[in-house]
Amino acid sequence: MRPRRGLDPGSVWAQRLRQLEQQLRAKEERIVVLETENAALHLKLAEYQGLAGRSTNEVLQLYAARGGQQKLQRSSLVTQLHRAIKRLKQDLKSLHSFALELSKEFRRQSKTCLYQVLAAVQGVQLQNEAMQMFQIKAFDLEQSLQEVTERYEKEKQKRRALHNSLVELRGNIRVHCRIRPLLPFDDAAGHLISQDRQRNFSEKVAYAADDETVLVKCSRPGHASINKTFQFERVYNDSESQDAVFADVAPLLTSLLDGYNVCIMAYGQTGSGKTYTMLGPQVEGNFAFTIEDESELGIIPRATQEVFRLISEKPPGSYWVEVSVVEVYNNEIFDLLAKDSYGKVFSIKRDVVTTREGKSDVPLLTHETVENASEFLHLVKKGLQLRVRHPTLVHAHSSRSHLVVTLTITTIVFGDNFGTSWEDEQASQRLNKEVSCTFPQKTRDSKSASSSGTSSPVQVEASEKIKQVKTRLQLVDLAGSECVGMSGVTGAALRETSFINRSLSALADVLGAIAEQRSHVPYRNSKLTHLLQDSVGGDAKLLVMLCISPGQKYLTESMQSLGFGTRARQVQRGQAKKKNFPMPSKAK
């Protein structure tokens, strides 16, 4: 560096020298510091090297100790393995000897089983041959049984037809018996009795032995059980439907159009199924004749449908039908189709009298003309709404009156063409169409029919040309006999029960008098027997439908009903009278 101009070079160099010396001293100080640090690092390095040497020795010692331990372990494991191998060899020898024995035993048992299988196969073959022989014999027996069954059914039908013919000739009362199933109220509810007696009350004691026999198991405490049997024209068990019941009733309806009066009467204790048999099930205390399940309909709606079906097969205008509904309540007769001045149906008391011909008649009784089954059932339903009912311990909807539904069929027979050809009959019917217009319209009251002694001029003219033949179908739902102690009735209901039992007793007395052929039959002892005099006394084909309860609880009442049916079968009233029913002859 050149000295600047104006400055002393010596001072410059001196200053420069001082700076260099300062730098030299700083470097030397730095060297001393570094040497000091280097010495300290050498000391630490020597210390660490000593530690590393000691660690290396310890590691070598550890490796040596572990190697010895592994040697010891390997030697003990080898010893254990040798022992285990020895044991396995011993077990293997044992298994080998066991396998040999097992193989021998298996071969021996295989031979035994093979012999047994061969013997079983031979036995099966023998059994198959025997089975084939048995099947052939069974088939032959089935054919024989079928032939015998067919012969039995044919003979049974012949016997039944002959029996029915005998019943017709003797005028016997047909008696059918229906046993209802056990129901929830049969558990003797409402009675303070022991559980053992309650179980006995719910026990079934009445059975249908076959389709003509009722079997009743009668037992008393401390006595042996006795079986009693009752024979009837038909017996229905507790599983038979309304269809089966009506199938045996339907033939009587054909007799109705052939000129015979017909009466179907349900008899039995309270709660035995009379109203169900005659009318059908109750829905909330009312009868539903339009229920979807027609299989539940009773005899009355089914008989109505059948009658109108039979009428539909006849010439139009040759029949008309009237209906009346009465109840016998407390020995009084009530008209259930009477109407007030506003046309509203109400119940009114009527009386029963005996006509000059000896027939029973109810003056002023309302007769409604109906054209089909729906109209008929509508009127019957109106009448049923007025029927007296009262709940008891035996039946929640107990009927307290006898119901008599009468269906009167008037057959129009043209009198001018007897013995003429069928074409002449048709022509006569066309000429007399105007006459048919004079017949009753929708409502007929027997008051107007019986109060006037002469007919109108038109009716007189009609009576010269036609003849009217009336036949009646009486459908009777009797009130149930009941034990006061069991039904628990008091007050007015007790009075009702007294009248019911007395009227049923009067009915039994009438049948007894007819069976014994007494000169006097006490029809007038009760309004019920007086009303049913024509039906019970022999002017009609009479069917009594006994309804009984199967439980031990009602054994006394069931026996009484069966006894009534047995006495009714013994009644011989003479052959039922057919109305004078001339028929025109057809052209040859």
Side-chain angles (χ1 to χ4, degrees), residues 193-226:
I193 58 175
S194 64
Q195 291 184 355
D196 292 337
R197 287 196 63 194
Q198 185 169 342
R199 283 193 294 269
N200 291 335
F201 274 178
S202 301
E203 181 184 356
K204 188 174 180 181
V205 295
Y207 304 87
D210 53 45
D211 58 358
E212 294 181 356
T213 308
V214 177
L215 174 65
V216 181
K217 294 182 178 179
C218 302
S219 60
R220 291 185 300 169
H223 295 78
S225 177
I226 301 174

Side-chain angles (χ1 to χ4, degrees), residues 47-71:
E47 183 179 356
Y48 287 145
Q49 286 177 348
L51 289 173
R54 287 196 298 274
S55 298
T56 302
N57 292 331
E58 290 177 357
V59 168
L60 291 175
Q61 291 175 358
L62 288 173
Y63 273 118
R66 186 174 180 181
Q69 186 177 4
Q70 289 178 349
K71 287 180 181 179

Side-chain angles (χ1 to χ4, degrees), residues 190-468:
H191 297 271
L192 298 176
I193 58 175
S194 64
Q195 291 184 355
D196 292 337
R197 287 196 63 194
Q198 185 169 342
R199 283 193 294 269
N200 291 335
F201 274 178
S202 301
E203 181 184 356
K204 188 174 180 181
V205 295
Y207 304 87
D210 53 45
D211 58 358
E212 294 181 356
T213 308
V214 177
L215 174 65
V216 181
K217 294 182 178 179
C218 302
S219 60
R220 291 185 300 169
H223 295 78
S225 177
I226 301 174
N227 293 336
K228 293 187 177 181
T229 58
F230 299 85
Q231 298 289 329
F232 301 106
E233 277 72 29
R234 182 71 166 86
V235 175
Y236 308 96
N237 59 42
D238 56 7
S239 63
E240 293 196 64
S241 65
Q242 300 274 62
D243 295 327
V245 174
F246 183 72
D248 295 319
V249 174
L252 287 175
L253 304 178
T254 305
S255 300
L256 183 68
L257 297 185
D258 290 339
Y260 292 95
N261 290 329
V262 176
C263 179
I264 302 172
M265 180 188 306
Y267 181 97
Q269 68 175 94
T270 298
S272 59
K274 301 182 303 301
T275 303
Y276 173 79
T277 299
M278 294 301 294
L279 293 167
Q282 298 186 53
V283 180
E284 297 180 355
N286 295 320
F287 292 94
F289 295 128
T290 57
I291 57 177
E292 295 181 0
D293 188 4
E294 293 186 355
S295 63
E296 292 294 319
L297 291 177
I299 290 176
I300 291 179
R302 289 171 182 267
T304 307
Q305 294 172 356
E306 178 65 12
V307 167
F308 279 99
R309 186 191 69 80
L310 294 172
I311 290 176
S312 67
E313 298 175 354
K314 304 296 181 180
S318 59
Y319 293 85
W320 85 77
V321 181
E322 297 167 303
V323 59
S324 65
V325 182
V326 301
E327 70 171 349
V328 182
Y329 174 66
N330 287 354
N331 204 33
E332 296 291 346
I333 295 177
F334 291 89
D335 184 354
L336 300 184
L337 294 183
K339 294 182 180 179
D340 58 15
S341 57
Y342 298 100
K344 184 178 179 181
V345 176
F346 72 106
S347 176
I348 187 170
K349 187 188 294 185
R350 303 292 189 194
D351 198 7
V352 57
V353 298
T354 302
T355 64
R356 293 179 180 179
E357 295 79 13
K359 305 294 183 183
S360 62
D361 185 31
V362 181
L364 309 180
L365 180 63
T366 304
H367 295 268
E368 292 278 356
T369 303
V370 292
E371 297 179 356
N372 51 53
S374 298
E375 293 181 1
F376 175 90
L377 295 177
H378 177 69
L379 291 173
V380 172
K381 189 173 182 180
K382 281 186 176 181
L384 288 173
Q385 291 173 353
L386 300 175
R387 189 182 185 186
V388 180
R389 294 192 185 91
H390 190 279
T392 68
L393 294 178
V394 178
H395 192 11
H397 303 286
S398 177
S399 301
R400 313 307 294 169
S401 65
H402 309 293
L403 178 72
V404 181
V405 179
T406 304
L407 187 146
T408 304
I409 299 178
T410 303
T411 306
I412 306 165
V413 182
F414 292 87
D416 290 343
N417 55 357
F418 295 151
T420 60
S421 66
W422 182 78
E423 291 81 359
D424 293 338
E425 177 193 350
Q426 296 298 316
S428 178
Q429 289 185 9
R430 286 193 297 271
L431 290 173
N432 290 318
K433 280 185 178 179
E434 296 181 358
V435 177
S436 63
C437 298
T438 65
F439 300 145
Q441 299 302 317
K442 201 62 183 173
T443 305
R444 291 182 74 248
D445 193 323
S446 59
K447 177 180 179 180
S448 61
S450 60
S451 60
S452 61
T454 60
S455 303
S456 63
V458 179
Q459 290 175 337
V460 171
E461 181 182 356
S463 65
E464 295 174 354
K465 295 182 180 181
I466 65 173
K467 181 172 182 178
Q468 298 179 8

Side-chain angles (χ1 to χ4, degrees), residues 144-158:
S144 301
L145 179 61
Q146 185 176 0
E147 292 175 358
V148 171
T149 303
E150 292 175 354
R151 287 170 54 193
Y152 170 74
E153 291 297 331
K154 290 179 181 179
E155 293 298 327
K156 188 176 179 181
Q157 292 176 2
K158 289 180 181 178

Side-chain angles (χ1 to χ4, degrees), residues 573-585:
R573 306 172 300 162
Q575 189 171 1
K577 299 176 183 178
K578 183 176 181 180
K579 302 293 182 179
N580 186 12
F581 212 162
M583 296 298 293
S585 60

